[in-house]
Amino acid sequence: MLLSPERSLARYTVPAAAVLAVALALLVPDNVRLQDALNRALPSPADARVVVVGIDDASLRDYGRLDSWPRELYGQALNTLDEAGARAIGIDVILSDPARNDQRLADAFSRPNVVLATAPGEDSAAHPDWRSPTGVSALNIGSDGVVRSFQAAYRENDTASAQSKLVPSLARQVAVIAGRDVPLETTPRVLRYSRPDLERLPVISFRDVVNGNVRYSDLQGRVVLIGLTATGLGSNGLGGQTLRDVTGENLSGALLQARAVSSLLSPPFQNVPLWLTALLCVLAASAAVLARGLWGFGIALLALSLALPLWLANIILPGVTISLAAILGTALVALERWWNLRNIGTLDPLTGLGNRLAFTRAIEHRWAARTERPLGLLLVDLSGFRKVNDTYGRSAGDELLRDLATRIQTHKRRGDVVFRWGADEFAVLLDNTDDMDLAVITERVQRTLDTIAYRDIPLRASVGAATTTPDIRTPVELIEAASRSRYRMKYQREQRE
């Protein structure tokens, strides 16, 4: 059964929506802004086991520049932390410049629960006698200067070669010593935002740890990260680099590394697979097309709202991408409506065929080329149609007309066009048709329509045909010739009966 003009484009818009939705899923697989908003709105509590020992302004005033103070201070701090029962210790300070007392730190920097930071591109400690595990001190800084993610491992020399070596990150090494099994992979992980909370993520002064002025209960069984937290910046050596988190706040790298460790100790986020994202986009876009109207915006809002509970369940849903797919479906509905409105004056709403106005435009458009491509015309009418309407109602008549239109269209060739000519009449404009072709097509159509019937009411279809000849100078003359042929056909059949 033919579709009405209102629905006629759905067979095209639904596949188009599916294809565009897949393309959208491939082009926009990540929703950075949505993740930032969810990360800010739903902060994760920092792991209570993580403690930051900050090299603060007071420590720098007491011990001088960080690159020149005695390195045995690290040994003293590690002794205090070991006595307090710290489980894992990460030193987020690059100790790359050799010093005279490096040899004496071999014992302190060879402990299995201590992780030494290395610079990107380095995979071993600065001194050959240091046996503690190492990890690269790196975070992923976006083009806008915001740190949103980190990795458990980075490729050596930052190359994408399959043979390039994977270097574990500092946060990963500390988390492994703390008891978390973290695979060595380069997949970016969300850096969980956590509001400052001294009870959950306290910052202890490095100076106090060196001097032993700490409560051991605050450090027992904890994961400790030692790093620069001084606020002074500049070339005087009394400060360190600050980075921006998702809230726009400037924080020291040590505090962000502590968040990375806390993120690894928390249940990991799971990204929705790309194939599932593409499938959800296809469903959203197709549903928006089939629902019609403005329902696509409702589907878009639903996709965005689902991102919130899934985030709480540690699942990252690309809600923006799915929402855009739904809006894309709504845009296709609007395009379909525009197309229908543009063509409503030339389409028959019952059969979806062109109406009499469309026929007039088509024959006028093709008339100039009739010499090279002769035009043929079939006119079909149905006797008994009015009796079907009167006996069984208009719905029965509509069903009969759609059946008649379908039968005629089965004989349509490439370039031919079928129109609804009148209440029970149809016209077929034949492209590039001579007398022989016209006779064959007419016979086929007549043979198909001879079997048409509706219940107990006798029906009879008559087909008239004509083609352009030198004697036919206007479209009206072609129509009159086809009409005479049709009446002649009716008369001959009546005489035979």
Side-chain angles (χ1 to χ4, degrees):
M1 185 172 66
L2 297 178
L3 298 175
S4 66
E6 178 63 21
R7 296 285 183 174
S8 61
L9 294 182
R11 69 183 69 178
Y12 307 110
T13 52
V14 171
V19 172
L20 293 175
V22 171
L24 186 64
L26 296 176
L27 292 174
V28 191
D30 301 317
N31 303 155
V32 175
R33 300 304 176 189
L34 177 61
Q35 292 183 23
D36 286 353
L38 292 173
N39 211 359
R40 290 192 301 267
L42 304 171
S44 303
D47 194 293
R49 293 170 292 176
V50 180
V51 177
V52 176
V53 172
I55 302 175
D56 53 8
D57 295 313
S59 301
L60 292 177
R61 283 195 299 268
D62 285 0
Y63 305 131
R65 295 170 60 93
L66 182 62
D67 56 358
S68 63
W69 69 7
R71 285 188 176 170
E72 53 264 25
L73 294 175
Y74 294 108
Q76 296 175 23
L78 292 178
N79 290 334
T80 300
L81 295 174
D82 271 350
E83 291 174 4
R87 183 172 183 176
I89 305 169
I91 302 180
D92 189 21
V93 179
I94 306 298
L95 302 173
S96 56
D97 296 330
R100 288 175 298 177
N101 55 5
D102 281 354
Q103 183 70 34
R104 288 182 289 174
L105 288 175
D107 179 63
F109 286 170
S110 297
R111 300 173 186 177
N113 67 330
V114 175
V115 180
L116 303 177
T118 60
E122 300 177 0
D123 61 351
S124 60
H127 200 282
D129 293 330
W130 297 349
R131 303 300 182 186
S132 291
T134 60
V136 60
S137 179
L139 297 167
N140 297 342
I141 304 176
S143 58
D144 55 356
V146 175
V147 179
R148 298 182 176 89
S149 62
F150 66 100
Q151 297 171 199
Y154 293 85
R155 293 198 177 275
E156 188 179 30
N157 299 325
D158 196 27
T159 62
S161 171
Q163 297 180 349
S164 60
K165 181 179 179 181
L166 289 180
V167 181
S169 67
L170 175 67
R172 185 260 181 188
Q173 297 292 74
V174 173
V176 168
I177 294 175
R180 174 68 71 176
D181 184 17
V182 181
L184 198 65
E185 58 185 14
T186 59
T187 304
R189 296 169 177 259
V190 175
L191 185 67
R192 292 177 182 263
Y193 168 68
S194 55
R195 292 194 181 98
D197 188 345
L198 296 180
E199 294 182 0
R200 288 188 174 274
L201 193 63
V203 178
I204 302 174
S205 174
F206 181 82
R207 180 182 61 176
D208 293 338
V209 175
V210 171
N211 296 329
N213 297 329
V214 292
R215 291 185 303 178
Y216 283 10
S217 60
D218 292 338
L219 298 170
Q220 186 175 9
R222 301 297 181 90
V223 178
V224 179
L225 195 72
I226 300 175
L228 191 63
T229 60
T231 57
L233 298 175
S235 59
N236 55 5
L238 297 180
Q241 181 184 13
T242 61
L243 302 170
R244 290 167 54 204
D245 67 2
V246 292
T247 66
E249 181 182 3
N250 289 321
L251 297 175
S252 66
L255 292 177
L256 291 177
Q257 285 286 359
R259 286 187 185 177
V261 174
S262 180
S263 299
L264 289 175
L265 296 178
S266 302
F269 277 108
Q270 300 293 331
N271 287 295
V272 174
L274 183 59
W275 67 266
L276 183 55
T277 299
L279 177 60
L280 292 174
C281 287
V282 169
L283 292 176
S286 301
V289 171
L290 296 175
R292 326 285 296 174
L294 300 178
W295 286 103
F297 292 104
I299 298 173
L301 290 176
L302 177 62
L304 284 176
S305 62
L306 285 177
L308 190 147
L310 290 177
W311 179 273
L312 294 175
N314 296 315
I315 299 176
I316 300 177
L317 177 72
V320 173
T321 303
I322 301 173
S323 297
L324 290 176
I327 295 173
L328 184 64
T330 301
L332 288 176
V333 172
L335 180 62
E336 179 182 345
R337 292 282 174 84
W338 170 82
W339 179 261
N340 285 331
L341 289 174
R342 181 177 180 269
N343 295 278
I344 196 67
T346 58
L347 291 179
D348 171 48
L350 177 63
T351 62
L353 302 175
N355 59 16
R356 197 155 185 161
L357 175 60
F359 169 79
T360 302
R361 292 179 177 176
I363 197 171
E364 289 177 349
H365 176 72
R366 300 187 181 191
W367 190 255
R370 69 188 184 280
T371 304
E372 295 79 15
R373 301 181 68 86
L375 289 177
L377 177 62
L378 299 184
L379 290 182
V380 181
D381 71 355
L382 186 64
S383 299
F385 169 71
R386 181 172 299 177
K387 189 173 182 180
V388 172
N389 267 348
D390 294 340
T391 306
Y392 296 106
R394 289 190 173 275
S395 59
D398 292 345
E399 180 183 352
L400 178 60
L401 288 175
R402 284 192 288 262
D403 180 27
L404 181 60
T406 302
R407 288 169 180 257
I408 295 174
Q409 283 201 304
T410 59
H411 298 285
K412 184 175 74 68
R413 306 167 306 167
R414 183 182 181 87
D416 297 344
V417 189
V418 183
F419 305 89
R420 186 178 178 189
W421 176 261
D424 57 354
E425 296 175 304
F426 292 83
V428 184
L429 190 60
L430 304 172
D431 180 56
N432 196 19
T433 304
D434 55 24
D435 291 335
M436 184 177 299
D437 294 333
L438 185 66
V440 172
I441 297 172
T442 303
E443 182 182 358
R444 289 176 181 173
V445 174
Q446 184 67 65
R447 191 183 313 122
T448 300
L449 299 184
D450 282 343
T451 60
I452 194 168
Y454 194 87
R455 298 187 185 180
D456 58 342
I457 298 178
L459 299 172
R460 180 184 300 160
S462 301
V463 181
T467 186
T468 53
T469 64
D471 297 334
I472 295 178
R473 295 180 295 273
T474 65
V476 174
E477 292 180 359
L478 178 63
I479 296 171
E480 291 176 348
S483 297
R484 289 193 298 269
S485 173
R486 180 179 53 174
Y487 293 137
R488 187 166 51 253
M489 177 67 67
K490 276 186 178 183
Y491 177 76
Q492 291 174 354
R493 297 185 68 170
E494 291 174 356
Q495 291 299 316
R496 286 197 300 267
E497 294 177 359

